[in-house]
Every structure is written in C-alpha cells, then in structure tokens.
Amino acid sequence: LAFKSDGTVWAWGSNSLGQLGDEQTPLRTTPAQVIPPGSPDLTIEMSHDGDFSVGAPGLYMLTVTNAGAIATSGAVTITDVLPPGLAYVSALGSEWNCTAGEQTIVCTNPRTVSAGDSSTVWLTVDVGPAAAPGVTNLAIVSNESDRNFSNNTIGDPTVVSQGR
C-alpha cells in the first residue's frame, strides 16, 4: 500500500480475492486507488423505447443510481456523446440542467444523490439518415466523491430503420 499526500490510498500486488479494494482482479502490477468503504458509488443505466426511425424523434432514458453507502457531495454530471446521425433536441429531468454542443450533451444536477436513490434525465434526439442501420449512444456519469469508475460508463446499442 502507498499513501499519497492528497489522502488517497493506492495498492498493488496479488488481488485474487479483491483484497486491494480497487474493484479489479486478479493481479495489479501498477498502483490503483483503493475505494474507501462506504463511499458514494454512482452507476448509470441507459435505455430507449423500441427502434428509432430516420426522420422521427428518439428518446433515451439515463438513470443515475447511488449504490454506495453515503450521499454524493457536489454536482452530479452526465456526459452523453451522441453518435453521428443523432442530434440533441431537448432534455427533461427533475433538477437536471443540460447543454449541448456538436455531439456532446452535458447534464448537471446540483443536488446530492442519497445512498440507494436514483435520478433520471430523458433526452430527445432527432434521428438522421447517418444513424441507420444502428448506433451506440455512450454516456458517462461523474461526481467528485465517487471513487469507483468501473460502473460509470454505459453504451446503448440502438437499431435505426430508414423510416417510411
């Protein structure tokens, strides 16, 4: 183990039973940050309703859940990188504020997420011809108090038809 001046703990070596506390197995040849017990642990899920059609709007649902033992501190941010053929239209979600540029949407929620709680934002996109026959939308959740990054990214494969 190594203790850095910023207060973080780093571990390496045999990890066959997960004893290093970094959510990885089995062998760590380079130091990895130890995840403190009881820390906030954000996960993200993404889904959509049915197949998308060119020329019609599509709807993605992004849900952030705190699977940790304590509430997050600071703002929670979702960064959604839309694939070619999809264009941001709008977002809806309690306390979420979203901005878009090019293919990247950044949604921020200033509220804490309590242990076991979830928060959802719905993204409406326009579906263009470049999206057919399918795309994968990619989103990442982040928060300064979340130390477990292994479950902070999600990709959602979406079938896109040419429409009518």
Side-chain angles (χ1 to χ4, degrees):
L1 294 173
F3 299 91
K4 290 180 68 177
S5 60
D6 65 2
T8 59
V9 178
W10 296 71
W12 63 95
S14 175
N15 197 28
S16 59
L17 300 173
Q19 64 268 35
L20 297 182
D22 69 348
E23 301 288 325
Q24 303 293 316
T25 56
L27 174 66
R28 295 292 307 180
T29 57
T30 58
Q33 186 175 354
V34 174
I35 300 165
S39 295
D41 183 13
L42 295 179
T43 64
I44 186 165
E45 295 179 22
M46 183 187 315
S47 61
H48 62 277
D49 190 20
D51 295 346
F52 288 3
S53 295
V54 172
L59 182 67
Y60 285 104
M61 182 174 70
L62 288 81
T63 301
V64 173
T65 302
N66 182 357
I70 62 173
T72 59
S73 61
V76 174
T77 302
I78 298 173
T79 304
D80 189 333
V81 181
L82 293 175
L86 298 185
Y88 173 76
V89 174
S90 65
L92 178 65
S94 179
E95 305 266 341
W96 287 99
N97 179 25
C98 299
T99 58
E102 296 294 320
Q103 294 303 109
T104 303
I105 304 163
V106 178
C107 297
T108 304
N109 189 331
R111 292 178 34 115
T112 62
V113 180
S114 297
D117 283 353
S118 298
S119 184
T120 301
V121 62
W122 290 267
L123 298 178
T124 301
V125 296
D126 275 336
V127 182
V135 293
T136 298
N137 190 5
L138 178 68
I140 301 166
V141 63
S142 59
N143 173 265
E144 65 187 24
S145 61
D146 181 5
R147 302 280 189 235
N148 181 10
F149 308 117
S150 66
N151 53 6
N152 291 27
T153 303
I154 189 77
D156 185 42
T158 309
V159 174
V160 179
S161 66
Q162 285 294 338
R164 298 171 214 219

